[in-house]
Amino acid sequence: MNVVTVVINGVEYNLRGEENEEYLHKVARYVDKKLKETLEANPKLSLSAASILTALNAADDMYKCDEAYEELQEKVDKLLEKEKSLKEELNSIKKQLKYLEEYNAELQLKLKNMTSEQFSKEKEEEVKNLVSQLQIMEETAKEYLNERNILKNENKELRFQLQSYKYKTIDLQQRLIEKGIDLVKEKRMKNSLIKLEK
């Protein structure tokens, strides 16, 4: 566990966490910045009220990030399902394509062995139809491959966004904990001051 000393609103605090020191300093700087912004925007607020308002804003950010994370996760799940479906369709097309290629090769061999008298218009038309079907299947396979590549890229981008939201959520949770610590310390200081005044 890492322990670092940070300064928030001019007061030193010792933070403990599993995260590295740089991360803990980053969280503290964020909290310090947000608290100062709250105090500047609302100069009449007490430090306690400003801390609560800052903590509420951080919690709001955290919940919004969680919602965005869940939405992205749903999109990723749908894309994965679509990718699986496309893979199955592509495999089916490949099988059909293989069958047509084999059939075409067989017909080509038969045509070579035929004499010119045996060659009929019917066979010629059949070959043309098969070649046409083969071309259509090849084009369809290319389209599916292109769509699959597009989905892969979208999936990669969404996973990156998910990872980013995950870190933001962790960051917001850490800030919320820090705000809670600050509030407890502030209450203790107030209670100490009240006791001293008495």
Side-chain angles (χ1 to χ4, degrees):
M1 181 170 287
N2 292 315
V3 180
V4 294
T5 301
V6 297
V7 178
I8 298 173
N9 199 35
V11 179
E12 288 188 355
Y13 298 95
N14 290 326
L15 293 184
R16 293 179 184 204
E18 297 296 329
E19 295 82 5
N20 61 41
E21 289 184 23
E22 184 182 336
Y23 176 81
L24 294 173
H25 279 292
K26 184 179 174 184
V27 169
R29 282 194 301 273
Y30 181 86
V31 171
D32 184 54
K33 178 185 170 190
K34 291 296 181 183
L35 182 57
K36 285 179 179 173
E37 286 174 4
T38 302
L39 286 168
E40 286 173 10
N42 306 285
K44 293 182 180 179
L45 286 179
S46 67
L47 185 58
S48 175
S51 295
I52 290 171
L53 187 57
T54 303
L56 286 171
N57 287 333
D60 179 53
D61 289 345
M62 183 183 72
Y63 284 116
K64 284 178 181 171
C65 280
D66 283 345
E67 287 174 6
Y69 177 85
E70 286 173 14
E71 285 175 17
L72 283 172
Q73 186 64 55
E74 285 176 17
K75 285 182 182 178
V76 167
D77 292 342
K78 285 178 184 175
L79 281 173
L80 288 172
E81 284 177 27
K82 192 170 183 181
E83 184 181 6
K84 184 181 175 184
S85 172
L86 283 173
K87 278 182 183 177
E88 289 170 1
E89 287 181 46
L90 187 60
N91 286 335
S92 174
I93 288 170
K94 282 180 180 176
K95 285 178 185 175
Q96 291 175 24
L97 193 59
K98 186 179 178 185
Y99 169 76
L100 284 173
E101 285 172 348
E102 288 171 358
Y103 189 61
N104 186 35
E106 185 183 318
L107 284 176
Q108 293 291 342
L109 186 64
K110 283 181 182 178
L111 284 172
K112 280 183 184 178
N113 295 332
M114 281 184 183
T115 64
S116 59
E117 291 142 19
Q118 293 173 321
F119 193 78
S120 68
K121 285 184 178 179
E122 187 181 315
K123 291 291 178 186
E124 188 179 342
E125 195 61 38
E126 189 179 341
V127 169
K128 283 180 183 177
N129 285 338
L130 285 170
V131 169
S132 175
Q133 285 180 22
L134 184 62
Q135 288 173 344
I136 290 168
M137 295 297 279
E138 285 175 347
E139 287 171 10
T140 305
K142 283 179 186 176
E143 287 174 12
Y144 276 115
L145 284 171
N146 286 338
E147 190 172 348
R148 184 172 176 252
N149 288 336
I150 289 167
L151 284 171
K152 269 188 175 179
N153 290 336
E154 286 179 12
N155 193 7
K156 186 178 179 182
E157 179 63 28
L158 284 171
R159 285 183 185 186
F160 175 77
Q161 289 179 17
L162 276 173
Q163 194 66 22
S164 176
Y165 278 113
K166 183 179 177 183
Y167 286 123
K168 284 182 183 177
T169 302
I170 291 168
D171 187 33
L172 288 169
Q173 287 172 341
Q174 193 66 31
R175 281 188 267 151
L176 195 57
I177 290 167
E178 289 301 319
K179 286 298 172 192
I181 292 169
D182 289 346
L183 286 171
V184 169
K185 287 183 179 180
E186 191 174 309
K187 284 182 181 179
R188 286 183 182 169
M189 286 175 62
K190 276 189 175 180
N191 289 338
S192 296
L193 288 173
I194 291 169
K195 287 178 182 177
L196 288 172
E197 288 174 1
K198 289 181 179 179

